[in-house]
Amino acid sequence: MNIKEASEKTGVSSAAIRYYEKELLIPAIDRTDVGNRDIDDRIIRRIQFVTQMRAAGMSIENLRRYIQLFDAQEDNAKEQKAILKTQLAAMEEKRDDLQSAIDHLNYKLNHFYDHMETTEEELRELERQHAEKVTDDAMSEGDGYNNR
Amino acid sequence: MNIKEASEKTGVSSAAIRYYEKELLIPAIDRTDVGNRDIDDRIIRRIQFVTQMRAAGMSIENLRRYIQLFDAQEDNAKEQKAILKTQLAAMEEKRDDLQSAIDHLNYKLNHFYDHMETTEEELRELERQHAEKVTDDAMSEGDGYNNR
DNA sequence: CCTTGCCTTGAAGTGCACATTAAGGATTAA
DNA sequence: TTAATCCTTAATGTGCACTTCAAGGCAAGG
């Protein structure tokens, strides 16, 4: 498949695919007799992998470091494993931060509802969330800024 | 408190605080008689809120839009609610993507354990070294390329 | 033969989110 | 009084992750 088809299949622009290849995030792509990229499913999967990790917040630089290590010879195994663990911890922290922000917004959203109609159920939920997260005061109605 | 103390308290640079104020992510900050910013706890909480939302992936632009609506005295409740819901959905999707990447990495990590024998001691040392270089991101693999 | 539409490379441009620099003002310590 | 250390604004610079442009090649359709 040519680069345009690969782009359509992955949702990654042709230019970005070229960029990923240049930056060694995906392996060197085979060429046709006239020099055009001929992209197979292995490359597609690598592109999707890169996309997934990028969406998870991994930088090009770190992605390349890991992929290079991984593609290299054996025996880097311990270091790879260490990298994996470190990155995993960072991602879990990021997920937790994200969850905390989601909780915050959910709290606000639920709070909006009681301008209109709030069920007893929702109220108990709000109190439960609020008790857990004391750090969430900033944008809620109690910070003295939004006096409505 | 002056901007440097606020910076130290929040972990946000002085330049970034000025930038946030300029971009209306935080309210106009009071000045002393000579024109220096005098930052109180309400501002600190707003900075922390911005930090949290930024870490969760919200752009300056979206943050400003939301905050401006929120700060408006008008009862934009329905519109605010819609924005909140949209942002929330995006964040939940991002969290799920992140979780999926975490699962991916966990799978790989478990796979590594089959192959090698590394003491936890060595791992911790490696992790410590790596953590100095890598602050935030993550990596993985596992798509049929690295057949080991 | 010419236009369309795909491709190539390398270089330059873009947008975001700040960081840094320049030029100057006020306060404090020696 | 001079140096240090904070502050101010406005302007410019930076790094990342691409995107766009420029200049050209190849193949098919009309």
Side-chain angles (χ1 to χ4, degrees), chain B residues 81-98:
Chain B
K81 208 167 116 183
I83 288 177
L84 225 45
K85 281 187 146 181
T86 303
Q87 181 64 36
L88 202 48
M91 286 164 71
E92 280 169 347
E93 195 185 331
K94 195 168 177 181
R95 177 202 58 197
D96 292 344
D97 288 350
L98 193 47

Side-chain angles (χ1 to χ4, degrees), chain B residues 6-66:
Chain B
S7 168
E8 281 156 7
K9 195 162 187 174
T10 60
V12 176
S13 75
S14 299
I17 292 174
R18 293 194 192 98
Y19 172 73
Y20 288 163
E21 186 188 16
K22 199 174 168 193
E23 296 296 319
L24 307 177
L25 302 189
I26 56 182
I29 301 173
D30 290 343
R31 305 309 172 105
T32 65
D33 50 356
V34 295
N36 290 5
R37 286 172 183 81
D38 185 18
I39 296 174
D40 62 22
D41 281 355
R42 300 173 310 166
I43 302 289
I44 294 292
R45 283 193 297 273
R46 289 284 284 248
I47 292 168
Q48 287 166 343
F49 171 74
V50 168
T51 303
Q52 186 180 20
M53 289 303 157
R54 292 281 307 117
M58 198 184 304
S59 69
I60 298 295
E61 166 100 10
N62 280 341
L63 204 37
R64 179 177 43 223
R65 277 211 285 263
Y66 170 66

Side-chain angles (χ1 to χ4, degrees), chain A residues 30-94:
Chain A
D30 290 343
R31 305 308 173 105
T32 65
D33 48 357
V34 296
N36 291 5
R37 286 172 182 79
D38 184 16
I39 296 174
D40 62 23
D41 282 356
R42 302 174 311 165
I43 303 288
I44 295 292
R45 284 193 296 272
R46 288 285 282 249
I47 293 167
Q48 288 166 342
F49 169 72
V50 168
T51 304
Q52 184 179 22
M53 291 303 154
R54 292 282 307 118
M58 193 185 324
S59 70
I60 298 295
E61 167 97 11
N62 281 339
L63 201 39
R64 180 178 41 226
R65 277 212 286 262
Y66 173 64
I67 286 172
Q68 280 176 354
L69 267 181
F70 205 98
D71 282 348
Q73 290 302 314
E74 177 59 45
D75 208 40
N76 292 319
K78 276 191 292 189
E79 193 175 352
Q80 286 179 42
K81 194 169 151 188
I83 289 174
L84 271 183
K85 283 188 132 185
T86 304
Q87 306 297 347
L88 199 49
M91 287 165 74
E92 281 169 347
E93 194 183 332
K94 194 166 178 183

Side-chain angles (χ1 to χ4, degrees), chain A residues 115-130:
Chain A
H115 272 294
M116 310 163 185
E117 75 237 60
T118 307
T119 69
E120 290 298 308
E121 203 106 74
E122 283 170 334
L123 272 177
R124 270 194 295 277
E125 173 69 8
L126 282 177
E127 275 169 36
R128 192 190 57 74
Q129 288 179 5
H130 194 60

Side-chain angles (χ1 to χ4, degrees), chain B residues 2 5 9 15 44 46 54 57 88 99 110 113-114 116 138:
Chain B
N2 66 25
E5 291 164 333
K9 195 162 187 174
I44 294 292
R46 289 284 284 248
R54 292 281 307 117
L88 202 48
Q99 184 61 53
N110 290 334
Y113 277 112
D114 296 343
M116 58 211 62

